[in-house]
Coordinates of all heavy atoms in Angstrom, one line a residue:
M513 N 86.6 32.7 -8.2 CA 87.8 33.1 -7.5 C 88.1 34.6 -7.9 O 88.2 34.9 -9.1 CB 89.0 32.2 -7.8 CG 90.2 32.7 -7.2 SD 91.4 31.4 -7.0 CE 92.4 31.7 -8.5
D514 N 88.3 35.4 -7.0 CA 88.6 36.9 -7.3 C 90.0 37.1 -7.3 O 90.8 36.9 -6.5 CB 88.0 37.7 -6.1 CG 88.1 39.2 -6.4 OD1 88.4 39.6 -7.5 OD2 87.9 40.0 -5.5
R515 N 90.4 37.4 -8.6 CA 91.9 37.6 -8.8 C 92.0 39.0 -9.6 O 91.9 39.1 -10.8 CB 92.5 36.6 -9.7 CG 92.5 35.2 -9.1 CD 93.0 34.2 -10.0 NE 92.4 34.3 -11.3 CZ 92.7 33.5 -12.4 NH1 93.5 32.6 -12.3 NH2 92.0 33.6 -13.5
T516 N 92.3 40.0 -8.8 CA 92.5 41.4 -9.4 C 94.0 41.7 -9.4 O 94.7 41.5 -8.4 CB 91.7 42.4 -8.7 OG1 90.4 42.1 -8.5 CG2 91.9 43.8 -9.3
N517 N 94.6 42.0 -10.6 CA 96.0 42.2 -10.6 C 96.2 43.7 -10.3 O 95.3 44.5 -10.0 CB 96.5 41.9 -12.0 CG 95.9 42.8 -13.1 OD1 95.4 43.8 -12.9 ND2 96.0 42.2 -14.3
E518 N 97.5 44.1 -10.2 CA 97.9 45.4 -9.7 C 97.4 46.5 -10.6 O 96.9 47.6 -10.2 CB 99.4 45.5 -9.7 CG 100.0 46.8 -9.1 CD 99.6 47.0 -7.7 OE1 99.6 45.9 -6.9 OE2 99.4 48.1 -7.3
R519 N 97.3 46.3 -12.0 CA 96.8 47.3 -12.9 C 95.2 47.5 -12.6 O 94.7 48.6 -12.7 CB 96.9 46.8 -14.3 CG 98.4 46.9 -14.8 CD 98.5 46.6 -16.2 NE 98.0 45.2 -16.4 CZ 97.9 44.6 -17.6 NH1 98.2 45.3 -18.7 NH2 97.5 43.4 -17.6
G520 N 94.5 46.4 -12.3 CA 93.1 46.5 -12.0 C 92.9 47.3 -10.7 O 91.9 48.1 -10.6
I521 N 93.7 47.1 -9.7 CA 93.6 47.8 -8.4 C 93.9 49.3 -8.7 O 93.2 50.1 -8.1 CB 94.7 47.2 -7.4 CG1 94.1 45.8 -7.0 CG2 94.7 48.2 -6.1 CD1 95.2 45.0 -6.2
E522 N 94.9 49.6 -9.5 CA 95.2 51.1 -9.8 C 94.0 51.7 -10.5 O 93.7 52.8 -10.3 CB 96.5 51.1 -10.6 CG 97.8 50.8 -9.8 CD 99.0 50.8 -10.6 OE1 98.9 51.2 -11.8 OE2 100.0 50.4 -10.2
L523 N 93.5 50.9 -11.4 CA 92.3 51.4 -12.2 C 91.1 51.7 -11.2 O 90.5 52.8 -11.3 CB 91.9 50.5 -13.3 CG 91.0 51.0 -14.4 CD1 91.5 52.2 -15.1 CD2 90.7 49.8 -15.4
E524 N 90.8 50.8 -10.3 CA 89.8 51.0 -9.4 C 90.0 52.2 -8.5 O 89.1 53.0 -8.3 CB 89.6 49.8 -8.5 CG 89.0 48.6 -9.1 CD 88.8 47.4 -8.1 OE1 88.1 47.6 -7.1 OE2 89.5 46.4 -8.3
E525 N 91.2 52.4 -8.0 CA 91.6 53.6 -7.3 C 91.4 54.9 -8.0 O 90.9 55.9 -7.6 CB 93.0 53.5 -6.8 CG 93.2 52.4 -5.7 CD 94.6 52.1 -5.3 OE1 95.6 52.8 -5.9 OE2 94.8 51.3 -4.4
Y526 N 91.8 54.9 -9.3 CA 91.6 56.1 -10.2 C 90.2 56.4 -10.4 O 89.8 57.5 -10.3 CB 92.4 55.9 -11.5 CG 92.1 57.0 -12.5 CD1 92.8 58.2 -12.4 CD2 91.1 56.9 -13.5 CE1 92.6 59.2 -13.3 CE2 90.9 57.9 -14.4 CZ 91.6 59.1 -14.2 OH 91.4 60.1 -15.1
F527 N 89.3 55.4 -10.6 CA 87.9 55.6 -10.8 C 87.3 56.1 -9.5 O 86.5 57.1 -9.6 CB 87.2 54.3 -11.1 CG 87.5 53.7 -12.5 CD1 87.2 52.5 -12.8 CD2 87.9 54.6 -13.5 CE1 87.4 52.0 -14.1 CE2 88.2 54.1 -14.8 CZ 87.9 52.9 -15.2
A528 N 87.8 55.7 -8.4 CA 87.2 56.2 -7.1 C 87.6 57.7 -6.9 O 86.7 58.5 -6.5 CB 87.7 55.4 -6.0
L529 N 88.8 58.0 -7.2 CA 89.3 59.4 -7.1 C 88.5 60.4 -8.1 O 88.4 61.5 -7.7 CB 90.8 59.5 -7.3 CG 91.6 58.9 -6.2 CD1 93.1 58.9 -6.7 CD2 91.5 59.7 -4.9
Q530 N 88.2 59.9 -9.2 CA 87.6 60.7 -10.2 C 86.1 60.6 -10.2 O 85.4 61.3 -11.0 CB 88.1 60.3 -11.6 CG 89.6 60.5 -11.8 CD 90.0 61.9 -11.7 OE1 89.4 62.8 -12.2 NE2 91.2 62.1 -11.0
N531 N 85.5 59.9 -9.2 CA 84.1 59.8 -9.1 C 83.5 59.1 -10.3 O 82.4 59.5 -10.7 CB 83.4 61.1 -8.8 CG 82.0 60.9 -8.1 OD1 81.9 59.9 -7.5 ND2 81.2 61.9 -8.3
I532 N 84.2 58.2 -10.9 CA 83.7 57.4 -12.0 C 83.0 56.2 -11.5 O 83.6 55.4 -10.7 CB 84.9 57.1 -13.0 CG1 85.4 58.4 -13.6 CG2 84.4 56.1 -14.1 CD1 86.7 58.2 -14.4
H533 N 81.9 55.8 -12.0 CA 81.1 54.7 -11.5 C 81.3 53.5 -12.5 O 81.2 53.6 -13.7 CB 79.6 55.0 -11.4 CG 78.8 53.8 -10.9 ND1 78.9 53.5 -9.5 CD2 78.1 53.0 -11.5 CE1 78.1 52.4 -9.4 NE2 77.5 52.1 -10.5
V534 N 81.6 52.3 -12.0 CA 81.7 51.1 -12.7 C 80.3 50.4 -12.6 O 79.9 50.1 -11.4 CB 82.8 50.2 -12.2 CG1 82.9 48.9 -13.0 CG2 84.2 50.9 -12.3
H535 N 79.7 50.1 -13.6 CA 78.3 49.5 -13.6 C 78.3 48.0 -13.6 O 77.2 47.4 -13.5 CB 77.5 50.0 -14.8 CG 77.3 51.5 -14.7 ND1 76.3 52.0 -14.1 CD2 78.0 52.5 -15.3 CE1 76.3 53.4 -14.2 NE2 77.4 53.7 -14.9
N536 N 79.4 47.4 -13.8 CA 79.4 45.9 -13.9 C 78.8 45.3 -12.6 O 79.1 45.8 -11.5 CB 80.8 45.4 -14.0 CG 81.4 45.7 -15.4 OD1 81.3 46.8 -15.8 ND2 82.0 44.7 -16.0
E537 N 77.9 44.3 -12.8 CA 77.3 43.6 -11.7 C 77.5 42.1 -11.8 O 77.5 41.6 -12.9 CB 75.8 43.9 -11.6 CG 75.5 45.4 -11.3 CD 74.0 45.7 -11.4 OE1 73.2 44.7 -11.6 OE2 73.6 46.9 -11.3
G538 N 77.7 41.4 -10.7 CA 77.7 40.0 -10.8 C 79.2 39.5 -11.1 O 80.1 40.3 -11.1
C539 N 79.3 38.3 -11.3 CA 80.6 37.7 -11.7 C 80.6 36.9 -13.0 O 81.4 35.9 -13.1 CB 81.1 36.8 -10.5 SG 79.9 35.6 -10.0
K540 N 79.7 37.2 -13.9 CA 79.6 36.5 -15.1 C 80.7 37.0 -16.0 O 80.9 38.2 -16.3 CB 78.2 36.7 -15.8 CG 78.0 35.9 -17.0 CD 76.6 36.1 -17.5 CE 76.2 35.2 -18.6 NZ 74.8 35.3 -19.0
P541 N 81.5 36.1 -16.5 CA 82.7 36.5 -17.5 C 82.2 37.2 -18.6 O 81.2 36.9 -19.2 CB 83.4 35.2 -17.8 CG 82.9 34.2 -16.8 CD 81.5 34.6 -16.4
T542 N 83.0 38.2 -19.1 CA 82.7 38.9 -20.4 C 83.6 38.4 -21.4 O 83.3 38.7 -22.6 CB 82.9 40.4 -20.1 OG1 84.2 40.7 -19.7 CG2 82.0 40.9 -19.1
F543 N 84.7 37.7 -21.1 CA 85.6 37.2 -22.1 C 85.7 35.7 -21.9 O 85.9 35.2 -20.8 CB 86.9 37.9 -21.8 CG 88.1 37.4 -22.8 CD1 88.1 37.8 -24.1 CD2 89.0 36.5 -22.3 CE1 89.1 37.4 -25.0 CE2 89.9 36.0 -23.2 CZ 90.0 36.4 -24.5
Y544 N 85.6 35.0 -23.1 CA 85.7 33.5 -23.1 C 86.8 33.2 -24.1 O 86.5 33.1 -25.3 CB 84.4 32.9 -23.6 CG 83.3 33.0 -22.5 CD1 82.5 34.2 -22.5 CD2 83.1 32.0 -21.6 CE1 81.5 34.3 -21.6 CE2 82.1 32.1 -20.7 CZ 81.3 33.3 -20.7 OH 80.3 33.4 -19.7
G545 N 88.1 33.1 -23.7 CA 89.1 32.7 -24.6 C 89.9 31.6 -23.9 O 89.2 30.6 -23.6
N546 N 91.2 31.8 -23.7 CA 92.0 30.8 -23.0 C 91.5 30.6 -21.6 O 91.6 29.6 -21.0 CB 93.4 31.1 -23.1 CG 94.0 31.1 -24.5 OD1 93.5 30.4 -25.3 ND2 95.1 31.8 -24.7
A547 N 91.0 31.7 -21.1 CA 90.5 31.7 -19.7 C 89.2 32.5 -19.7 O 89.0 33.4 -20.6 CB 91.5 32.3 -18.7
E548 N 88.3 32.3 -18.7 CA 87.1 33.1 -18.6 C 87.4 34.2 -17.6 O 87.7 33.9 -16.5 CB 85.9 32.2 -18.1 CG 85.5 31.2 -19.1 CD 84.4 30.3 -18.7 OE1 83.8 30.6 -17.5 OE2 84.0 29.4 -19.4
T549 N 87.3 35.5 -18.0 CA 87.5 36.6 -17.2 C 86.6 37.7 -17.3 O 85.8 37.8 -18.3 CB 89.0 37.2 -17.5 OG1 89.0 37.7 -18.8 CG2 90.0 36.2 -17.3
I550 N 86.5 38.6 -16.4 CA 85.7 39.8 -16.4 C 86.6 41.0 -16.8 O 87.1 41.6 -16.0 CB 85.0 40.2 -15.1 CG1 84.1 38.9 -14.7 CG2 84.1 41.3 -15.3 CD1 83.5 39.0 -13.3
I551 N 86.9 41.1 -18.2 CA 87.9 42.1 -18.5 C 87.2 43.3 -19.1 O 87.8 44.4 -19.1 CB 88.8 41.5 -19.6 CG1 90.0 42.3 -19.8 CG2 88.1 41.2 -20.9 CD1 91.1 41.7 -20.6
D552 N 85.9 43.2 -19.5 CA 85.2 44.4 -20.1 C 84.4 45.1 -19.0 O 83.7 44.4 -18.2 CB 84.2 43.9 -21.2 CG 85.0 43.1 -22.3 OD1 85.9 43.7 -22.9 OD2 84.7 41.9 -22.4
I553 N 84.5 46.4 -19.0 CA 83.8 47.2 -18.0 C 82.9 48.3 -18.7 O 83.2 48.7 -19.8 CB 84.7 47.8 -17.0 CG1 85.7 48.7 -17.6 CG2 85.4 46.7 -16.1 CD1 86.5 49.5 -16.6
T554 N 81.9 48.7 -18.0 CA 81.0 49.8 -18.4 C 81.2 50.9 -17.4 O 80.9 50.6 -16.1 CB 79.6 49.4 -18.5 OG1 79.5 48.3 -19.3 CG2 78.7 50.5 -19.0
I555 N 81.7 52.0 -17.7 CA 81.9 53.1 -16.8 C 81.1 54.4 -17.2 O 80.8 54.5 -18.3 CB 83.4 53.5 -16.6 CG1 84.0 54.0 -17.9 CG2 84.1 52.3 -16.0 CD1 85.4 54.4 -17.8
S556 N 80.8 55.2 -16.2 CA 80.2 56.5 -16.5 C 80.5 57.6 -15.5 O 80.9 57.2 -14.4 CB 78.7 56.4 -16.6 OG 78.1 56.2 -15.3
L557 N 80.4 58.8 -15.9 CA 80.6 59.9 -15.0 C 79.3 60.7 -14.9 O 78.9 61.3 -15.9 CB 81.7 60.8 -15.6 CG 82.1 62.0 -14.7 CD1 82.7 61.6 -13.4 CD2 83.2 62.8 -15.5
G558 N 78.7 60.6 -13.8 CA 77.4 61.4 -13.6 C 76.2 60.7 -14.1 O 75.1 61.3 -14.1
L559 N 76.2 59.4 -14.5 CA 75.0 58.7 -15.0 C 74.7 57.5 -14.1 O 73.9 56.7 -14.5 CB 75.3 58.2 -16.4 CG 75.4 59.3 -17.5 CD1 75.7 58.6 -18.8 CD2 74.2 60.1 -17.6
K560 N 75.2 57.5 -12.9 CA 75.0 56.3 -12.1 C 73.5 55.8 -12.0 O 73.2 54.7 -12.1 CB 75.6 56.5 -10.7 CG 75.5 55.3 -9.8 CD 76.1 55.6 -8.4 CE 76.0 54.4 -7.5 NZ 76.6 54.7 -6.2
A561 N 72.6 56.8 -11.7 CA 71.3 56.5 -11.5 C 70.5 56.2 -12.8 O 69.4 55.6 -12.8 CB 70.6 57.6 -10.7
K562 N 71.1 56.6 -13.9 CA 70.4 56.5 -15.2 C 70.7 55.1 -15.9 O 69.9 54.7 -16.8 CB 70.8 57.6 -16.2 CG 70.6 59.0 -15.6 CD 69.6 59.6 -16.5 CE 69.4 61.1 -15.9 NZ 68.0 61.4 -15.7
I563 N 71.7 54.5 -15.5 CA 72.1 53.2 -16.1 C 71.4 52.1 -15.3 O 71.6 52.0 -14.1 CB 73.6 52.9 -16.1 CG1 74.4 54.0 -16.8 CG2 73.9 51.5 -16.7 CD1 74.2 54.1 -18.3
Q564 N 70.6 51.3 -16.0 CA 69.7 50.3 -15.3 C 69.8 48.9 -16.1 O 70.2 48.9 -17.3 CB 68.3 50.7 -15.2 CG 68.1 52.0 -14.5 CD 66.7 52.5 -14.6 OE1 65.8 51.9 -15.3 NE2 66.4 53.6 -13.9
N565 N 69.5 47.8 -15.4 CA 69.4 46.5 -16.0 C 70.7 46.2 -16.8 O 70.7 45.5 -17.8 CB 68.2 46.5 -16.9 CG 67.9 45.0 -17.3 OD1 68.2 44.1 -16.6 ND2 67.2 44.9 -18.5
W566 N 71.9 46.4 -16.1 CA 73.2 46.1 -16.7 C 73.3 44.6 -16.6 O 73.1 43.9 -15.6 CB 74.3 46.8 -16.0 CG 75.6 46.5 -16.5 CD1 76.3 47.4 -17.4 CD2 76.5 45.4 -16.4 NE1 77.5 46.9 -17.7 CE2 77.6 45.7 -17.1 CE3 76.4 44.2 -15.7 CZ2 78.7 44.8 -17.2 CZ3 77.4 43.3 -15.8 CH2 78.6 43.6 -16.6
H567 N 73.7 43.9 -17.7 CA 74.0 42.4 -17.6 C 74.8 42.0 -18.8 O 74.9 42.7 -19.8 CB 72.7 41.6 -17.5 CG 71.8 41.8 -18.8 ND1 71.0 42.9 -19.0 CD2 71.6 41.0 -19.8 CE1 70.3 42.8 -20.1 NE2 70.7 41.6 -20.6
V568 N 75.5 40.9 -18.6 CA 76.2 40.2 -19.7 C 75.3 39.3 -20.4 O 74.6 38.4 -19.9 CB 77.5 39.5 -19.2 CG1 78.2 38.8 -20.3 CG2 78.3 40.4 -18.4
S569 N 75.2 39.4 -21.8 CA 74.3 38.6 -22.6 C 74.6 37.2 -22.6 O 75.8 36.8 -22.6 CB 74.2 39.2 -24.0 OG 73.5 38.4 -24.9
D570 N 73.6 36.3 -22.7 CA 73.8 34.9 -22.9 C 73.9 34.5 -24.4 O 74.2 33.4 -24.8 CB 72.7 34.1 -22.3 CG 72.7 34.1 -20.8 OD1 73.8 34.2 -20.2 OD2 71.6 34.2 -20.1
E571 N 73.5 35.5 -25.3 CA 73.6 35.2 -26.7 C 75.0 34.9 -27.2 O 75.9 35.7 -26.7 CB 73.0 36.4 -27.5 CG 71.5 36.7 -27.3 CD 70.7 35.6 -27.9 OE1 71.0 35.1 -29.0 OE2 69.7 35.2 -27.2
P572 N 75.2 34.0 -28.0 CA 76.6 33.8 -28.5 C 77.1 35.0 -29.4 O 76.4 35.4 -30.3 CB 76.4 32.5 -29.4 CG 75.1 32.2 -29.4 CD 74.2 33.1 -28.6
P573 N 78.2 35.5 -29.0 CA 78.7 36.6 -29.8 C 79.5 36.2 -31.0 O 79.7 35.0 -31.2 CB 79.7 37.3 -28.7 CG 80.2 36.1 -28.0 CD 79.1 35.2 -27.9
C574 N 79.9 37.2 -31.8 CA 80.7 36.9 -33.0 C 82.2 37.0 -32.7 O 83.1 37.0 -33.6 CB 80.3 37.9 -34.1 SG 78.7 37.7 -34.7
S575 N 82.5 37.2 -31.4 CA 83.9 37.2 -31.0 C 84.0 36.5 -29.6 O 83.1 35.8 -29.2 CB 84.4 38.7 -30.9 OG 83.8 39.2 -29.7
D576 N 85.2 36.6 -29.0 CA 85.4 36.0 -27.7 C 84.9 36.9 -26.5 O 85.1 36.5 -25.4 CB 86.8 35.5 -27.5 CG 87.8 36.5 -27.9 OD1 87.4 37.7 -28.2 OD2 89.0 36.2 -28.0
H577 N 84.4 38.0 -26.9 CA 83.8 38.9 -25.8 C 82.3 38.8 -25.9 O 81.6 39.0 -26.9 CB 84.2 40.3 -26.0 CG 85.7 40.6 -25.9 ND1 86.2 41.0 -24.7 CD2 86.7 40.4 -26.7 CE1 87.5 41.1 -24.7 NE2 87.9 40.7 -26.0
R578 N 81.6 38.7 -24.7 CA 80.2 38.7 -24.7 C 79.7 40.1 -24.8 O 80.3 41.1 -24.4 CB 79.7 38.0 -23.3 CG 80.0 36.6 -23.2 CD 79.0 35.8 -23.9 NE 79.2 34.4 -23.7 CZ 78.6 33.4 -24.3 NH1 77.6 33.7 -25.1 NH2 78.9 32.2 -24.1
H579 N 78.4 40.2 -25.3 CA 77.8 41.6 -25.4 C 77.4 42.0 -23.9 O 76.9 41.2 -23.1 CB 76.5 41.5 -26.2 CG 76.8 41.2 -27.6 ND1 76.0 40.5 -28.4 CD2 77.9 41.4 -28.4 CE1 76.5 40.3 -29.6 NE2 77.7 40.9 -29.6
I580 N 77.6 43.3 -23.6 CA 77.2 43.9 -22.4 C 75.9 44.7 -22.8 O 76.0 45.5 -23.7 CB 78.2 44.7 -21.8 CG1 79.4 43.9 -21.4 CG2 77.7 45.5 -20.6 CD1 80.6 44.6 -20.8
L581 N 74.8 44.5 -22.0 CA 73.6 45.2 -22.4 C 73.1 46.0 -21.1 O 73.3 45.6 -20.0 CB 72.5 44.2 -22.7 CG 72.8 43.2 -23.9 CD1 71.7 42.2 -24.1 CD2 73.0 44.0 -25.2
F582 N 72.5 47.2 -21.4 CA 72.0 47.9 -20.3 C 71.0 48.9 -20.9 O 71.0 49.1 -22.1 CB 73.1 48.6 -19.4 CG 74.0 49.5 -20.3 CD1 73.7 50.8 -20.6 CD2 75.1 49.0 -20.8 CE1 74.5 51.7 -21.2 CE2 76.0 49.8 -21.6 CZ 75.7 51.2 -21.8
E583 N 70.2 49.5 -20.0 CA 69.3 50.5 -20.4 C 69.7 51.9 -19.8 O 70.2 51.9 -18.7 CB 67.9 50.1 -19.9 CG 67.3 48.9 -20.5 CD 66.1 48.3 -19.9 OE1 65.5 49.0 -18.9 OE2 65.7 47.3 -20.1
V584 N 69.4 53.0 -20.5 CA 69.7 54.3 -20.0 C 68.3 55.0 -19.8 O 67.5 55.1 -20.8 CB 70.6 55.1 -21.0 CG1 70.8 56.5 -20.4 CG2 71.8 54.3 -21.2
E585 N 68.1 55.4 -18.6 CA 66.8 56.2 -18.4 C 66.8 57.5 -19.0 O 67.7 58.3 -18.7 CB 66.5 56.2 -16.8 CG 65.3 56.9 -16.5 CD 65.1 56.9 -15.0 OE1 65.5 56.0 -14.3 OE2 64.8 58.1 -14.5
M586 N 65.9 57.8 -19.8 CA 65.8 59.1 -20.5 C 64.6 59.9 -20.2 O 64.3 60.9 -20.9 CB 66.0 58.9 -22.0 CG 67.2 58.1 -22.5 SD 68.7 59.1 -22.2 CE 68.6 60.2 -23.5
K587 N 63.8 59.6 -19.2 CA 62.6 60.2 -19.0 C 62.6 61.7 -18.6 O 61.7 62.4 -18.8 CB 61.7 59.5 -18.0 CG 62.2 59.6 -16.6 CD 61.3 58.7 -15.6 CE 61.9 58.7 -14.2 NZ 61.1 57.9 -13.4
D588 N 63.8 62.2 -18.2 CA 64.0 63.6 -17.8 C 64.3 64.5 -19.0 O 64.3 65.7 -18.9 CB 65.0 63.7 -16.8 CG 64.6 63.1 -15.4 OD1 63.5 62.9 -15.2 OD2 65.6 62.9 -14.6
Q589 N 64.5 63.8 -20.2 CA 64.9 64.6 -21.3 C 63.6 65.2 -22.0 O 62.7 64.6 -22.1 CB 65.6 63.7 -22.3 CG 66.9 63.0 -21.9 CD 68.0 64.1 -21.8 OE1 68.0 65.0 -22.6 NE2 68.9 64.0 -20.8
K590 N 63.8 66.4 -22.4 CA 62.8 67.1 -23.2 C 63.0 66.7 -24.6 O 64.1 66.7 -25.1 CB 62.8 68.6 -23.0 CG 62.5 69.0 -21.5 CD 62.6 70.5 -21.4 CE 62.4 70.9 -19.9 NZ 62.5 72.2 -19.7
P591 N 61.8 66.6 -25.4 CA 62.0 66.3 -26.8 C 62.7 67.4 -27.6 O 62.5 68.6 -27.2 CB 60.6 66.1 -27.3 CG 59.6 66.4 -26.2 CD 60.5 66.7 -25.0
L592 N 63.5 67.0 -28.5 CA 64.2 68.1 -29.4 C 63.2 68.6 -30.3 O 62.5 67.9 -31.1 CB 65.3 67.4 -30.1 CG 66.1 68.2 -31.1 CD1 66.8 69.3 -30.2 CD2 67.1 67.4 -31.8
V593 N 63.1 70.0 -30.3 CA 62.2 70.7 -31.2 C 63.0 71.6 -32.1 O 63.8 72.4 -31.6 CB 61.2 71.5 -30.4 CG1 60.3 72.3 -31.4 CG2 60.4 70.6 -29.5
Q594 N 62.9 71.5 -33.4 CA 63.6 72.3 -34.3 C 62.8 73.6 -34.5 O 61.6 73.5 -34.8 CB 63.9 71.6 -35.7 CG 65.0 70.7 -35.7 CD 65.3 70.2 -37.1 OE1 64.4 70.2 -38.0 NE2 66.5 70.0 -37.3
V595 N 63.5 74.7 -34.4 CA 62.9 76.0 -34.7 C 63.6 76.8 -35.7 O 64.8 76.8 -35.7 CB 62.9 76.8 -33.3 CG1 62.2 78.2 -33.6 CG2 62.1 76.1 -32.2
R596 N 62.9 77.3 -36.7 CA 63.6 78.0 -37.8 C 63.3 79.5 -37.6 O 62.2 79.9 -37.3 CB 63.0 77.5 -39.1 CG 63.3 76.1 -39.4 CD 62.7 75.7 -40.8 NE 62.7 74.3 -40.9 CZ 63.7 73.6 -41.5 NH1 64.7 74.2 -41.9 NH2 63.6 72.2 -41.6
C597 N 64.4 80.2 -37.7 CA 64.3 81.7 -37.6 C 64.2 82.2 -39.0 O 65.3 82.4 -39.7 CB 65.4 82.3 -36.8 SG 65.3 84.0 -36.6
Y598 N 63.1 82.6 -39.5 CA 62.9 83.1 -40.9 C 63.5 84.5 -41.1 O 63.8 84.8 -42.2 CB 61.4 83.1 -41.3 CG 60.9 81.6 -41.3 CD1 60.0 81.2 -40.4 CD2 61.3 80.8 -42.3 CE1 59.5 79.9 -40.4 CE2 60.7 79.5 -42.4 CZ 59.9 79.1 -41.5 OH 59.4 77.8 -41.5
K599 N 63.7 85.2 -40.0 CA 64.3 86.5 -40.2 C 65.7 86.4 -40.6 O 66.3 87.3 -41.2 CB 64.2 87.3 -38.8 CG 62.8 87.7 -38.5 CD 62.8 88.4 -37.1 CE 61.3 88.8 -36.8 NZ 61.3 89.5 -35.5
K600 N 66.4 85.3 -40.2 CA 67.8 85.1 -40.6 C 68.0 84.4 -41.9 O 69.1 84.1 -42.3 CB 68.6 84.3 -39.5 CG 68.6 85.1 -38.2 CD 69.4 84.3 -37.2 CE 69.4 85.1 -35.9 NZ 70.2 84.3 -34.8
T601 N 66.9 84.1 -42.6 CA 67.0 83.4 -43.9 C 67.6 84.3 -45.0 O 67.2 85.4 -45.1 CB 65.6 82.9 -44.3 OG1 65.1 82.0 -43.3 CG2 65.7 82.1 -45.6
N602 N 68.6 83.7 -45.7 CA 69.1 84.4 -46.8 C 68.2 84.1 -48.1 O 68.3 83.1 -48.7 CB 70.6 84.0 -47.1 CG 71.2 84.8 -48.2 OD1 70.5 85.3 -49.1 ND2 72.5 84.8 -48.2
W603 N 67.3 85.0 -48.3 CA 66.2 84.7 -49.3 C 66.8 84.7 -50.7 O 66.2 84.0 -51.6 CB 65.1 85.7 -49.2 CG 64.3 85.5 -48.0 CD1 64.4 86.2 -46.8 CD2 63.4 84.4 -47.7 NE1 63.5 85.7 -45.8 CE2 62.9 84.6 -46.3 CE3 62.9 83.3 -48.3 CZ2 62.1 83.7 -45.7 CZ3 62.0 82.4 -47.7 CH2 61.6 82.7 -46.5
E604 N 67.9 85.4 -50.9 CA 68.5 85.4 -52.3 C 69.0 83.9 -52.6 O 68.9 83.4 -53.7 CB 69.5 86.4 -52.4 CG 69.0 87.8 -52.4 CD 70.1 88.8 -52.5 OE1 71.3 88.5 -52.8 OE2 69.8 90.0 -52.2
N605 N 69.6 83.3 -51.7 CA 70.1 81.9 -51.8 C 69.1 80.9 -51.7 O 69.3 79.8 -52.2 CB 71.3 81.6 -50.8 CG 72.6 82.4 -51.1 OD1 72.8 82.9 -52.2 ND2 73.3 82.6 -50.0
F606 N 68.0 81.2 -51.2 CA 66.9 80.3 -51.0 C 66.2 80.0 -52.3 O 65.9 79.0 -52.7 CB 65.9 80.8 -50.0 CG 64.8 79.8 -49.7 CD1 65.0 78.7 -49.0 CD2 63.5 80.1 -50.1 CE1 64.0 77.8 -48.6 CE2 62.4 79.2 -49.8 CZ 62.8 78.1 -49.1

């Protein structure tokens, strides 16, 4: 049963206006307390295509919130290379 309260509707409208993407998929509850609800969300700004395989874990958590798992595609990233500029080295302190 879909039950979104007024605060949830306002939050959805804000996300839409700010171009914030909600990655939650499906209807598996993220919270198991007095009631089972989807209260936890994963949001991003500008990473919509990079977040993949979003899901709520079946593993038992250490709290009443289930773990949310996803992958972030990083193939466009260049490896970090450290470069030392020896001309700027303070040789007296070295």
Side-chain angles (χ1 to χ4, degrees):
M513 177 162 92
D514 186 11
R515 297 180 307 183
T516 303
N517 62 22
E518 187 64 33
R519 289 182 300 174
I521 293 169
E522 289 175 10
L523 194 57
E524 284 182 63
E525 290 172 357
Y526 175 78
F527 288 161
L529 288 172
Q530 298 299 319
N531 202 26
I532 296 173
H533 182 73
V534 178
H535 295 277
N536 292 45
E537 296 177 3
C539 56
K540 189 173 187 178
T542 59
F543 177 78
Y544 292 86
N546 295 338
E548 295 181 2
T549 61
I550 304 172
I551 194 168
D552 304 298
I553 59 173
T554 306
I555 61 173
S556 71
L557 181 61
L559 293 176
K560 181 178 179 180
K562 303 242 183 232
I563 304 288
Q564 301 172 356
N565 196 23
W566 186 100
H567 63 282
V568 179
S569 174
D570 290 324
E571 294 291 320
C574 295
S575 73
D576 45 9
H577 293 264
R578 294 280 183 184
H579 298 147
I580 295 174
L581 305 173
F582 56 89
E583 298 168 4
V584 180
E585 181 183 316
M586 301 291 287
K587 68 181 177 185
D588 294 341
Q589 297 288 329
K590 294 180 182 178
L592 180 63
V593 178
Q594 279 190 330
V595 178
R596 298 182 192 268
C597 182
Y598 295 108
K599 290 180 181 180
K600 294 182 179 179
T601 301
N602 185 336
W603 292 105
E604 290 179 13
N605 290 338
F606 185 69

